[in-house]
């Protein structure tokens, strides 16, 4: 079983729609949760990170963490064509040898004008 | 904004050639990483470094080697490239704060013929 599960999509929505992207995980040691956006042929770009359960908002983006369900979400409001990209969730666990990161496979999103 | 650079961005090379992928960051980060990314797959950590003269192998077995002689520079070398090495290689560095957030370079897309 993978440490992090992410629906690969592809997801296609009309401009202005609310988008929900999700990841589930199995390791209760994960402490930090991150969302990255990756445009085609570019490196991942950090969008948001959260530490505790609850919501964190940044402009049109809201990151939500539910540690009891081991479930994280990224919501995009008023989606724009420029949001078309692959979105990667990532999680960090503290180990004896330091921090260890786990990434989802990414969800491909297309926002249609 | 993260300042992490990778060269070359694209490389097509024949089997058996020695190649070095360059990665530099100007943020003074102690920690640096190399990941391999294939379509539809999660990022796989192949090497990491926690500082000068410190290098470790990651989770994914790799025939590559790395060096860390200077804080800002973390090159990856393949002594003899093979078609199985064809992939996207991402370099990252992480902050010193408690989040240890990773910032990625633009990637090098390597094709071995």
């Amino acid at each position: 079983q993978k440490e992090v599960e992410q629906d690969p999509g592809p997801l296609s929505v009309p401009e202005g729609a609310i988008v929900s992207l999700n990841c589930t995980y199995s390791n209760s040691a994960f402490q930090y949760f991150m969302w990255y956006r990756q445009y085609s042929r570019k490196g991942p770009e950090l969008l948001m990170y959260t530490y505790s359960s609850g919501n964190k908002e940044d402009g049109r983006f809201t990151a939500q963490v539910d540690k009891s369900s081991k479930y994280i979400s990224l919501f995009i409001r008023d989606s724009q064509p420029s949001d078309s990209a692959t979105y990667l969730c990532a999680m960090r666990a503290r180990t004896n040898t330091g921090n260890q990161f786990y990434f989802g496979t990414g969800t491909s999103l297309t926002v249609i004008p | 904004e993260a300042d992490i650079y990778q060269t070359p961005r694209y490389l097509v090379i024949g089997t058996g050639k020695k190649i070095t992928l360059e990665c530099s960051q100007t943020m003074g980060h102690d920690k640096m990483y190399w990941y391999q990314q294939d379509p539809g797959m999660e990022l796989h950590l192949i090497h990491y470094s926690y500082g000068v003269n410190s290098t470790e192998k990651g989770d994914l077995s790799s025939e590559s080697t790395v060096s860390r002689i200077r804080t800002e520079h973390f090159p990856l070398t393949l002594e003899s490239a093979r078609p199985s090495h064809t992939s996207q290689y991402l370099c990252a560095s992480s902050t010193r704060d408690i989040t240890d957030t990773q910032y990625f370079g633009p990637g090098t897309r390597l094709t071995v013929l």
Side-chain angles (χ1 to χ4, degrees):
Chain A
Q1 184 185 3
K2 288 183 180 178
E3 296 275 1
V4 179
E5 297 280 357
Q6 183 174 10
D7 186 340
L11 191 59
S12 185
V13 301
E15 183 175 352
I18 296 173
V19 176
S20 172
L21 306 168
N22 311 296
C23 287
T24 58
Y25 62 95
S26 55
N27 189 344
S28 57
F30 288 142
Q31 299 169 316
Y32 282 94
F33 305 88
M34 290 142 283
W35 285 97
Y36 287 86
R37 176 175 61 197
Q38 186 174 21
Y39 291 115
S40 181
R41 305 205 179 277
K42 297 284 179 70
E45 167 196 11
L46 179 69
L47 273 179
M48 299 182 72
Y49 69 86
T50 56
Y51 175 64
S52 57
S53 284
N55 294 350
K56 182 177 181 180
E57 191 173 315
D58 184 1
R60 296 184 295 109
F61 298 89
T62 299
Q64 188 175 80
V65 173
D66 182 347
K67 286 189 174 180
S68 61
S69 302
K70 297 189 176 66
Y71 187 88
I72 69 169
S73 300
L74 178 71
F75 297 97
I76 307 174
R77 289 185 301 281
D78 188 25
S79 55
Q80 302 295 308
S82 59
D83 295 328
S84 298
T86 296
Y87 290 80
L88 301 164
C89 63
M91 307 182 186
R92 194 202 87 185
R94 186 84 177 155
T95 69
N96 292 335
T97 54
N99 294 324
Q100 197 153 10
F101 291 84
Y102 297 85
F103 290 84
T105 54
T107 299
S108 175
L109 171 68
T110 300
V111 180
I112 303 168
Chain B
E1 187 174 318
D3 293 321
I4 183 163
Y5 309 98
Q6 289 185 245
T7 57
R9 293 292 316 280
Y10 303 92
L11 180 61
V12 179
I13 201 164
T15 297
K17 300 291 185 183
K18 177 180 178 179
I19 59 170
T20 297
L21 308 184
E22 302 287 349
C23 176
S24 294
Q25 49 97 5
T26 58
M27 297 168 284
H29 289 167
D30 290 322
K31 298 179 183 178
M32 296 189 73
Y33 312 82
W34 276 102
Y35 288 91
Q36 196 168 324
Q37 184 181 36
D38 294 304
M41 304 289 288
E42 63 266 39
L43 272 66
H44 285 293
L45 182 66
I46 49 176
H47 293 283
Y48 62 97
S49 167
Y50 282 173
V52 170
N53 295 325
S54 153
T55 60
E56 301 286 346
K57 287 188 181 291
D59 305 322
L60 183 68
S61 171
S62 173
E63 294 160 342
S64 58
T65 58
V66 291
S67 63
R68 190 87 183 276
I69 298 172
R70 302 197 317 265
T71 298
E72 62 271 21
H73 196 215
F74 191 40
L76 180 144
T77 298
L78 276 166
E79 290 293 333
S80 180
R82 292 209 296 267
S84 60
H85 296 138
T86 295
S87 188
Q88 164 99 325
Y89 291 85
L90 291 166
C91 180
S93 68
S94 64
T95 59
R96 292 177 180 172
D97 62 30
I98 194 169
T99 66
D100 202 13
T101 303
Q102 294 188 11
Y103 293 90
F104 287 84
T108 294
R109 183 164 295 276
L110 172 65
T111 302
V112 184
L113 304 175

